[in-house]
Amino acid sequence: MGDRTGAQSKLNNSELWGGLIGLALGVFVIWSGIKLKIGSINDPGSGFVLHYTVMLMCVFYATIIVAAFTEGGPTFGSRWEGTRWSKPLLVIACLTAFSFALDPLGFLLSAIPMMVLLLRVIDPVRWSLTIPLAILAPLGVWWVLKRLLLIQLPSGIFEIG
């Protein structure tokens, strides 16, 4: 009977399941990298970097799995105790609204109000810092994407940006 509860506690270990899921995903990505042709160091294929990077990640996932078996870890329930859902849900709502406003309003006119809302509501920042950050951060991102990287961003109905 004591052995059964020990096995159940190991199966309720959130780190074990996180490591197993990550390892399974890593094996799938390694297989996909092989299908893309790995190549060699002198003539790398399109799956070269992907393949070897994920191999390293799989080693990390394996160490998480070994540590979960040997040292144990927190249960799924203990990970969620005391979680306050209001702020994460508000961030999701802001990003959803941003995605809907992006095409009709454009990048700048949708990013600036989102930044103001996030800076004032999620982790309140004083107005003297909120306004410059909410304007300069999207402008900086816009400049890098549009001018340096030559990525076309939506300019919206007002053709701003």
Side-chain angles (χ1 to χ4, degrees):
M1 187 94 166
D3 185 58
R4 185 179 174 116
T5 58
Q8 283 180 337
S9 68
K10 288 211 185 291
L11 288 179
N12 197 16
N13 184 341
S14 61
E15 291 180 359
L16 171 68
W17 285 103
L20 288 172
I21 291 169
L23 188 63
L25 183 63
V27 168
F28 171 74
V29 173
I30 288 172
W31 176 70
S32 299
I34 290 170
K35 283 178 58 176
L36 287 173
K37 306 291 185 225
I38 297 172
S40 66
I41 191 76
N42 295 327
D43 185 26
S46 56
F48 184 82
V49 173
L50 181 70
H51 179 77
Y52 289 107
T53 303
V54 175
M55 281 182 67
L56 181 62
M57 288 175 58
C58 284
V59 170
F60 294 146
Y61 285 127
T63 60
I64 291 172
I65 293 168
V66 169
F69 267 120
T70 58
E71 301 168 13
T75 63
F76 289 109
S78 68
R79 291 269 189 197
W80 300 102
E81 287 176 5
T83 302
R84 296 180 311 201
W85 289 99
S86 60
K87 288 185 179 183
L89 290 175
L90 184 61
V91 170
I92 291 169
C94 284
L95 291 173
T96 303
F98 173 74
S99 69
F100 283 114
L102 186 61
D103 198 36
L105 294 178
F107 177 76
L108 290 174
L109 289 181
S110 56
I112 291 172
M114 183 192 65
M115 288 288 294
V116 169
L117 186 64
L118 290 175
L119 287 170
R120 289 298 297 168
V121 175
I122 300 302
D123 194 15
V125 177
R126 63 184 190 277
W127 280 107
S128 60
L129 190 57
T130 296
I131 298 301
L133 276 175
I135 293 171
L136 293 175
L139 275 174
V141 169
W142 172 83
W143 187 81
V144 168
L145 291 175
K146 184 108 175 179
R147 302 291 180 216
L148 289 181
L149 299 176
L150 302 174
I151 296 174
Q152 186 175 353
L153 293 170
S155 55
I157 58 175
F158 301 110
E159 298 294 324
I160 296 176

